[in-house]
Amino acid sequence: MKDFLLPGLLVVLGATGCVRNSSVVRVFDGQKEHGRYVTFRAYAAYARGAYLEARGDLDGAGDAYQNAVQSDPHSAQVWTRLGAIRCKKKRADAHLAFERALEIEPSYEPAWRERARCAADSNDLAAAVEFAELASKLDPNRLETTLLLASIYERASRPKDARRWLEALTVNQPRSRPAWQAVLAHATRFEIAQLRARAIERLAALGEETSGSVSASVDRALGTRDLDRARALALRARLAPGTLAVRAAAMGLGTEARAEADLVLGADPSNSDARIAGLVAADLLRDPVGFERFLGGLDADPVAPSPLAARLMAELLERRIGHDARRDWLELLGELPPPTDPLELAVTLRSTPTKLPPETQPTAPPAPSPKSP
């Protein structure tokens, strides 16, 4: 569903700050498209569910997704995640959530994918193959779907089909470590020596290119406005896509944050960190056209924002709307984990300097303020 990722901000962050219509206009490939208005309350509940699901808190995630459904009962995305949680909890009503998602949007690929995963977990391999093949037809380039389909083919005693899909995946995504890892595992299980050797060779090459650890050197490069060097360091450190854009935005570097956000979103419109960074950057640069652009083009399967991105969104809401909007956003999102590095801690301290022990406080940069390009 193309309407979910941060759509409430079309109104919440708009000039009036109030809901006037039940629909919003977004831009996809240069074409205007009308979509449903969804409140940021629904988005916050969904983001909290995704965070809790990633931590393995299935009960908490289920409650959060249920709250999101109550706020937005017409979201295929939320019904899909609710079905996935029910399936993990072995609930018999999981299929009802998937059916509701597909009633809303029959071509919603993640719903077919999660339905396939659920069927496979229940050992209904015939249904799992059918659903996974439908998902792959809807989005043949999605790595997660291809890996799932290959694993189901193997379980269904169709190893040749699994191998065909995995090798096609490495052709389309030759630098994907998960793709080559899957090929290696498959070749090992089925004793295909030549394919195994090729996978080992490719993983070794990719390992050399992606070695390293997260370092303050990335922030230092951003601080000197050397975006090319920051990108190279982020690649070696294997930072998640969107992280660099968020960190630039947190440092008040609007031009760099906008450039990196555009790059990431061009490859993955579902990246919430990059979209939030783009919104913050456009706000810093007083770029209303860019702000609307980052609000548009929303993807069907967004990823929950990182804690740093969530904190930046809170700052943005406070600047554009006021303290109450910031408070509501954080309350709806739920308790965020403690800051993990000086930059994130500094962002936290800009609004809550008395909540952390003085000895842990770094020299916090001033809160970003809008500036001219």
Side-chain angles (χ1 to χ4, degrees):
M1 185 180 66
K2 298 178 180 178
D3 298 349
F4 196 88
L5 180 59
L6 301 179
L9 296 176
L10 285 168
V11 173
V12 174
L13 295 178
T16 64
C18 61
V19 179
R20 293 184 181 275
N21 300 295
S22 60
S23 65
V24 292
V25 178
R26 299 177 175 81
V27 179
F28 303 93
D29 298 325
Q31 301 296 318
K32 291 184 178 180
E33 181 174 316
H34 289 270
R36 293 184 307 106
Y37 166 75
V38 182
T39 70
F40 79 91
R41 289 180 178 274
Y43 175 76
Y46 174 84
R48 177 164 176 75
Y51 171 70
L52 292 173
E53 183 179 358
R55 294 186 63 182
D57 183 354
L58 299 185
D59 290 336
D63 290 343
Y65 289 138
Q66 191 64 54
N67 289 337
V69 162
Q70 291 173 357
S71 296
D72 182 18
H74 304 293
S75 168
Q77 179 186 353
V78 179
W79 280 108
T80 296
R81 293 318 313 158
L82 190 58
I85 290 293
R86 289 177 178 177
C87 187
K88 290 177 181 179
K89 296 176 69 175
K90 308 298 182 185
R91 285 180 49 170
D93 59 350
H95 72 283
L96 297 177
F98 293 131
E99 289 172 0
R100 178 62 183 135
L102 292 168
E103 281 179 9
I104 295 169
E105 192 165 347
S107 61
Y108 186 51
E109 183 271 338
W112 288 110
R113 185 200 328 138
E114 291 302 327
R115 197 178 187 186
R117 196 190 311 278
C118 189
D121 289 344
S122 301
N123 210 35
D124 186 354
L125 297 181
V129 167
E130 177 187 354
F131 299 151
E133 287 179 342
L134 280 168
S136 67
K137 288 178 182 178
L138 290 168
D139 192 351
N141 295 318
R142 186 174 287 273
L143 183 144
E144 182 181 4
T145 302
T146 299
L147 295 182
L148 175 63
L149 178 58
S151 71
I152 294 172
Y153 276 144
E154 283 192 16
R155 291 181 56 187
S157 300
R158 296 171 58 178
K160 290 184 179 179
D161 287 326
R163 184 157 57 254
R164 176 169 55 86
W165 277 86
L166 289 174
E167 291 191 287
L169 180 63
T170 60
V171 170
N172 292 330
Q173 302 183 35
R175 296 171 60 85
S176 168
R177 288 176 62 85
W180 283 109
Q181 287 167 347
V183 169
L184 176 59
H186 175 88
T188 300
R189 283 192 295 272
F190 292 93
E191 300 180 349
I192 308 172
Q194 186 175 3
L195 182 60
R196 186 174 187 276
R198 181 155 58 95
I200 291 173
E201 180 182 356
R202 288 302 305 148
L203 283 169
L206 290 171
E208 292 176 359
E209 294 171 3
T210 58
S211 62
S213 60
V214 176
S215 169
S217 58
V218 172
D219 290 349
R220 286 197 295 270
L222 284 173
T224 62
R225 309 193 89 126
D226 188 345
L227 184 56
D228 288 339
R229 175 168 173 75
R231 283 171 172 164
L233 291 169
L235 178 62
R236 287 203 294 270
R238 297 184 66 185
L239 294 182
T243 299
L244 192 63
V246 166
R247 298 188 77 81
M251 296 171 69
L253 304 175
T255 301
E256 289 75 13
R258 181 173 60 186
E260 183 65 13
D262 276 328
L263 181 68
V264 173
L265 291 171
D268 179 12
S270 72
N271 192 296
S272 298
D273 277 24
R275 196 164 297 281
I276 289 173
L279 289 167
V280 172
D283 185 65
L284 293 173
L285 297 171
R286 297 186 183 276
D287 178 10
V289 175
F291 196 87
E292 291 297 324
R293 177 168 58 83
F294 282 111
L295 284 173
L298 307 182
D299 188 72
D301 193 15
V303 178
S306 66
L308 178 56
R311 289 182 165 103
L312 284 180
M313 177 58 68
E315 281 194 330
L316 180 62
L317 286 166
E318 185 160 25
R319 286 202 301 275
R320 302 280 296 212
I321 308 296
H323 177 74
D324 288 347
R326 175 189 179 279
R327 181 201 61 211
D328 289 346
W329 165 257
L330 291 176
E331 286 182 355
L332 289 164
L333 194 58
E335 183 178 359
L336 295 173
T340 58
D341 62 68
L343 179 61
E344 188 174 352
L345 181 58
V347 171
T348 305
L349 291 175
R350 290 201 289 243
S351 300
T352 56
T354 62
K355 290 188 177 181
L356 294 165
E359 61 269 19
T360 67
Q361 297 182 10
T363 302
S369 58
K371 58 186 77 175
S372 299

